Amino acid sequence: MIARRAVLAGAAGSALAATLPAQAACPGAGGPAVTGRGFHLGEVFNRPARDFVDMAAAGADLVRLGIALRPTPDGEAYEWPARGVDELMRTLQLAGDQRMKVIPVLRPSPDPRSPLWRRESLQRSLVALWRELATRLRGQAALAALDLVNEAHPSGRDFAEKERLWSALAMQLIAAVRAVDPRFDIVYEPSPGARPMAFRTVEALPVERVIYSVHFYEPFEFSHQDSGDPRFVGAVDYPGEVPGQGRYDAARLRADLEPVRAFQRRSGAPIYVGEFGAVRWAPPGARERYLADLIALFQEYRWSWTYHAFREWQGWDAEVGAGRQERRRSADEPAWRLLRRALAECPTR
């Protein structure tokens, strides 16, 4: 096991070194504004302070925290997420102590079957909830931006209609938080689901200080292989052939991200990759090659990013090895070394 890890660590390090652009192309060296880079935290409560020390030591200056929303028993409003808000305030303190910024994101059920898209009372409740949360967050030095809704995906005949429905609600949410403080920066995830193809139909919102966010897991047959979803069963290598989709390699990842890049070119808006990653039990070295190719593109494009996820579900954990039953964390794990190297190559502190 030790020898295999050493070999993979060397391979991951050399792959990243070969694909990362020069320092002059790092985020912050001209181009759109940079939010930062680091880790998505999921919805893990009561993290030890050591987690924030370790993320900062790895070079992170940004974390993203999810807050789940649940409807009231009558289904007409969202309950106030007291535990999630308490955790957010604690995260702001612990992250701020390490000179990191925080992006909170609200997580109502976002898919087309969600009552959010059918009930105006739930939409009004979401507006009111964001207004109250903005009031509590006003003046928080460690706050980076407000991510309105995670992976919004209303029902609609096509992507354009989905985006139209979501952007109309998003503008109400923005108006609510900006009424509290016009200086809040906003993270907006185009519909459907913040996926790259959503950027084919998105138009820049008619307000300033908006960061547009993409989540990248393409192809899911690779990133989510054998993760419990019956659609993604069986080993898929990277680079390699994906059933029904052809070959995936660095060129294909670039092509999949082109709608995001095209939107950035025409709008000049900053881009933030809110989530990306792959399961750790992908074929040997595949996760590291995939992450190295993606991060090289993010750095080239000067995009902010947060890896999914830090010490959350064990399947995403970059500090844990490839064995399905493995749970031990190691600072020498290849994927973790790769992320640390990427953060060190382009510091934003």
Side-chain angles (χ1 to χ4, degrees):
M1 177 66 74
I2 294 175
R4 179 173 175 271
R5 285 185 176 178
V7 169
L8 285 181
S14 62
L16 186 60
T19 53
L20 273 179
Q23 184 75 19
C26 287
V34 173
T35 303
R37 286 177 311 286
F39 300 96
H40 179 48
L41 303 181
E43 297 173 32
V44 177
F45 292 118
N46 299 315
R47 284 181 177 273
R50 184 71 202 181
D51 279 7
F52 295 87
V53 173
D54 291 346
M55 285 185 284
D61 59 8
L62 179 68
V63 296
R64 179 176 182 259
L65 177 71
I67 300 175
L69 298 184
R70 294 175 176 81
T72 55
D74 64 6
E76 295 299 320
Y78 287 110
E79 296 176 347
W80 175 253
R83 188 179 178 208
V85 172
D86 287 347
E87 187 65 23
L88 171 58
M89 304 310 289
R90 180 173 176 272
T91 297
L92 286 163
Q93 179 64 54
L94 292 172
D97 289 345
Q98 302 301 321
R99 298 172 57 206
M100 294 190 292
K101 299 285 189 177
V102 180
I103 294 178
V105 56
L106 294 188
R107 298 177 59 92
S109 176
D111 64 66
R113 298 180 299 276
S114 171
L116 173 61
W117 311 116
R118 302 190 307 272
R119 296 185 183 175
E120 291 186 5
S121 62
L122 277 178
Q123 296 181 14
R124 290 193 298 270
S125 174
L126 187 60
V127 171
L129 196 154
W130 259 124
R131 183 183 300 112
E132 175 62 24
L133 188 55
T135 301
R136 299 193 183 202
L137 294 175
R138 181 170 49 190
Q140 284 284 340
L143 184 71
L146 307 176
D147 193 340
L148 300 174
V149 168
N150 185 70
E151 298 182 353
H153 189 176
S155 58
R157 293 167 297 180
D158 53 29
F159 285 4
E161 183 176 13
K162 292 173 184 290
E163 175 59 22
R164 179 180 60 79
L165 292 170
W166 163 225
S167 63
L169 175 57
M171 287 301 297
Q172 296 180 52
L173 303 177
I174 294 171
V177 300
R178 293 266 173 89
V180 174
D181 190 334
R183 296 170 295 179
F184 279 122
D185 287 335
I186 301 297
V187 173
Y188 179 74
E189 304 179 21
S191 180
R195 294 183 66 181
M197 69 276 287
F199 284 78
R200 294 173 183 161
T201 53
V202 69
E203 296 293 337
L205 299 178
V207 289
E208 297 181 347
R209 302 185 69 166
V210 177
I211 303 158
Y212 293 79
S213 182
V214 61
H215 294 183
F216 196 89
Y217 295 103
E218 273 70 17
F220 281 74
E221 289 81 357
F222 171 76
S223 65
H224 285 60
Q225 59 187 280
D226 293 329
S227 61
D229 190 319
R231 296 173 297 173
F232 311 127
V233 177
V236 176
D237 207 349
Y238 178 87
E241 295 293 321
V242 177
Q245 297 193 51
R247 181 173 176 79
Y248 258 86
D249 54 17
R252 181 69 178 273
L253 298 181
R254 184 183 292 272
D256 279 2
L257 285 168
E258 178 54 27
V260 188
R261 186 76 172 121
F263 169 77
Q264 184 180 36
R265 285 194 295 264
R266 69 176 183 265
S267 68
I271 302 296
Y272 162 52
V273 186
E275 296 182 20
F276 70 102
V279 292
R280 57 185 178 79
W281 46 77
R287 174 171 67 159
E288 290 75 26
R289 293 189 293 270
Y290 177 78
L291 294 178
D293 284 349
L294 277 178
I295 291 171
L297 290 169
F298 302 161
Q299 311 286 60
E300 177 185 344
Y301 296 154
R302 303 184 176 98
W303 292 352
S304 303
W305 51 262
T306 43
Y307 172 77
H308 183 86
F310 183 81
R311 297 177 185 172
E312 188 220 29
W313 178 54
Q314 50 83 19
W316 303 117
D317 200 322
E319 297 172 277
V320 180
R324 290 298 295 258
Q325 303 307 315
E326 183 65 78
R327 296 295 185 273
R328 293 170 299 173
R329 294 191 175 104
S330 169
D332 291 327
E333 194 55 47
W336 179 243
R337 292 180 62 183
L338 187 152
L339 290 168
R340 285 165 46 204
R341 182 182 175 92
L343 293 166
E345 287 283 338
C346 293
T348 55
R349 290 178 188 270

